[in-house]
């Protein structure tokens, strides 16, 4: 019996990056099945098609994969490609989908959110280009979840996910593949591995990569240690764990504190960390934090040192809240620069249309057209390639960059678990106020323009409205406010500050941005609405 009756379950609307909920929610009867069948129903055809499946190894990953296998077989897929141990980083899944033409892939991850029986789980669908499902596909999946009456699921012997090999279940070929091999091969096509190996093996360059007990451990060990000759203790927390060792696998100064301490105390030259599913990155020089917006701008400026990009970039893109440091590089190099809403899905069309090569977000996401996801280890290799080619330190490179382009001070303040109604009221009041702001001064800063960001995709003409409130000041400063689309409890308010300065290049960002923070309070009343005197996370 493969056909099972079911009925719609409330709240299966995917957010910025797939459907993310508490594990307990996913464990409800039919919850996962309804969503997976809704994905399959959104595809033109399942019969005979190839599908890639993998995840970040968090709690429920293995069980969910067995369920997806049973459903894929019952839906008639021709072939399933699954990462060994159920492991595929998000960029590796994108790479595999592109390499073995597929109708798409299912990635099980809640990214940087904690894992474990009481924590988060997630599921996202990537299309045949290897990128996150488009807005319209996501809409169809959601509509399907509201109308579902049955799903298909076969009763099967579990597949041994730990052994590389092939299995047959019904008419479906199931291939369990090495999680790292295809991705490592792609990296070797892009970068100058000889130069990086020479830098690392010379003995006076020391690095540390923190895999945060998440998916990148096996990737970093094979590439950094195996192929580039870094010492084996240079990859820490390398074993993927279902609960990420009890931590948030979120590569920022708060959650990757162990890495920051190690780099600074041991005087290492370079440090980096990646998140739960391996698509984010944080990079550090010795006692030198590099903001993701600056990292993106610098890599674009230095991309000529990297073999795959040495003949020039097609164009670049950044998400709207990301600082405008990238725009300055684009202007100088005469490149088109696109501003998209938050979330990687908007970059895919631009890449498929060959309008951009590099793109990124302030949220520790950097990537290129080698896959259709942001890619943590790729960004680390970009830095290592540039460090090897220039012989300069990360701090020297960044300071020289600011010397040429000026500095865009940037900070994001997150207020987590805010009461959803309070957050909604705050935005309603703010949006009402928007047309009246221009021309007025708040906390001594005069507003030049204020609006809600709306994006028209230049490739397919689709329009995405309500993508965050922007307030521009005559000083060149900007405040952006939006609600997170990836949180799983209450509302998370994100406030982004950026301020350009061509002269003063070495201020503490929190000091440089303090006038904007006072203006935000005067305009929005963050404290009054949220009841919070300070943000929970400052990056
Ligand atoms: C967050 C980030 C966003 C990123 C997304 C998925 O989304 O802000 O840049 O694309 O995670 O990694 P948010 O929670 O803000 O909706
Ligand atoms: Zn992620």
């Amino acid at each position: 019996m493969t056909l099972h009756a079911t009925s719609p379950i409330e709240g299966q609307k995917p957010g910025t990056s797939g459907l993310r909920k508490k594990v307990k929610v996913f464990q409800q009867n039919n919850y996962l099945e309804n969503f997976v069948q809704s994905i399959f129903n959104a595809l033109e055809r399942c019969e005979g098609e190839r599908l890639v499946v993998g995840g970040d190894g968090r709690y429920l990953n293995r069980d969910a994969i067995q369920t997806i296998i049973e459903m894929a077989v019952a839906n008639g897929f021709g072939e399933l490609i699954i990462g060994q141990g159920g492991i595929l980083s998000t960029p590796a899944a994108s790479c595999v989908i592109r390499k073995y033409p597929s109708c798409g892939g299912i990635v099980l991850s809640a990214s940087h959110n904690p894992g474990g029986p009481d924590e988060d789980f997630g599921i996202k669908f990537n299309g045949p280009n290897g990128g996150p499902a488009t807005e319209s596909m996501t809409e169809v999946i959601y509509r399907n979840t509201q109308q579902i009456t049955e799903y298909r699921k076969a009763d099967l012997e579990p597949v041994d996910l730990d052994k590389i090999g092939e299995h047959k279940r019904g008419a479906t070929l199931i291939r369990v593949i090495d999680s790292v091999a295809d991705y490592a091969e792609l990296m070797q096509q892009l970068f100058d591995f000889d130069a990086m190996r020479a830098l690392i093996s010379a003995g006076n360059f020391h690095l540390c990569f923190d895999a945060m007990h998440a998916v990148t451990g096996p990737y970093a060990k094979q590439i950094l240690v195996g192929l580039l000759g870094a010492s084996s203790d240079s990859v820490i927390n390398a074993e993927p764990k279902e609960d990420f060792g009890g931590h948030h696998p979120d590569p920022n100064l708060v959650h990757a504190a162990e890495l920051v301490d190690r780099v600074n105390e041991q005087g290492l030259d370079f440090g980096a960390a990646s998140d739960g599913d391996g698509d984010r990155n944080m990079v550090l020089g010795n006692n030198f934090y590099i903001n993701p917006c600056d990292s993106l701008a610098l890599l674009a400026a230095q991309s000529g040192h990297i073999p795959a990009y040495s003949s020039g970039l097609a164009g670049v893109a950044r998400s709207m809240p990301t600082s405008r440091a990238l725009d300055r590089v684009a202007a100088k190099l005469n490149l088109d620069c696109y501003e998209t809403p938050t979330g990687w899905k908007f970059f895919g069309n631009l890449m498929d249309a060959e309008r951009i090569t590099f793109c990124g977000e302030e949220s520790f996401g950097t990537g290129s057209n080698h896959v259709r996801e942001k890619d943590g280890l790729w960004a680390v290799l970009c830095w290592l390639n540039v460090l090897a080619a220039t012989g300069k330190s990360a701090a020297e490179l960044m300071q020289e960059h600011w010397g040429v382009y000026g500095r865009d001070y940037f900070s994001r303040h997150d207020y987590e678990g805010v009461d959803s109604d309070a957050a909604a009221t705050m935005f309603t009041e703010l949006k009402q106020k928007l047309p009246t702001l221009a021309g007025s001064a708040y906390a001594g800063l005069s507003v030049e323009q204020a609006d809600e960001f709306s994006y028209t995709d230049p490739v397919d003409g689709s329009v995405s409205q309500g993508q965050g409130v922007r307030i521009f000041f005559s000083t060149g400063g900007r405040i952006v406010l939006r609600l997170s689309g990836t949180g799983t409890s209450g509302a998370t308010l994100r406030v982004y500050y950026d301020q350009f300065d061509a002269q003063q290049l070495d201020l503490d960002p929190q000091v440089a941005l303090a006038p904007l923070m006072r203006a935000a309070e005067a305009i929005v009343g963050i404290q009054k609405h949220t009841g919070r005197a300070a943000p929970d996370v400052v990056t």
Side-chain angles (χ1 to χ4, degrees), residues 111-112 275 277-280 374:
S111 190
H112 51 289
D275 71 330
D277 60 331
D279 57 358
R280 295 186 176 202
K374 55 189 177 249

Side-chain angles (χ1 to χ4, degrees), residues 176-206:
V176 177
I177 62 161
D178 182 322
S179 312
V180 181
D182 296 298
Y183 178 81
E185 183 190 286
L186 176 60
M187 293 303 114
Q188 290 173 88
Q189 290 163 9
L190 303 176
F191 296 103
D192 186 346
F193 269 61
D194 290 338
M196 293 189 285
R197 204 178 300 113
L199 171 75
I200 289 169
S201 60
N204 52 4
F205 179 88
H206 301 284

Side-chain angles (χ1 to χ4, degrees), residues 426 429-430 433 481 493 518-532:
M426 193 187 93
E429 287 182 14
L430 176 59
K433 243 182 171 177
L481 297 102
L493 168 66
R518 288 192 287 274
E521 194 50 50
I523 296 170
V524 188
I526 298 171
Q527 210 164 323
K528 179 187 87 187
H529 285 285
T530 63
R532 304 286 173 81

Side-chain angles (χ1 to χ4, degrees), residues 323-345:
S323 92
R324 291 158 285 174
L326 179 68
D327 309 31
R328 299 179 211 289
V329 175
K332 192 158 189 138
L333 301 183
N334 210 7
L335 297 173
D336 287 340
C337 182
Y338 298 86
E339 183 178 43
T340 59
T342 294
W344 210 259
K345 56 182 164 236

Side-chain angles (χ1 to χ4, degrees), residues 137-199:
M137 172 78 175
T138 306
E139 203 34 59
V140 175
I141 295 172
Y142 177 50
R143 221 179 313 117
N144 290 348
T145 69
Q146 297 173 303
Q147 296 163 358
I148 190 162
T149 55
E150 59 186 30
Y151 62 81
R152 290 172 190 277
K153 185 174 162 188
D155 200 11
L156 301 177
E157 267 293 289
V159 170
D160 181 356
L161 298 177
D162 292 307
K163 272 218 302 283
I164 292 173
E166 299 191 349
H167 309 261
K168 195 89 190 181
R169 293 285 186 280
T172 313
L173 174 68
I174 298 167
R175 285 174 53 209
V176 177
I177 62 161
D178 182 322
S179 312
V180 181
D182 296 298
Y183 178 81
E185 183 190 286
L186 176 60
M187 293 303 114
Q188 290 173 88
Q189 290 163 9
L190 303 176
F191 296 103
D192 186 346
F193 269 61
D194 290 338
M196 293 189 285
R197 204 178 300 113
L199 171 75

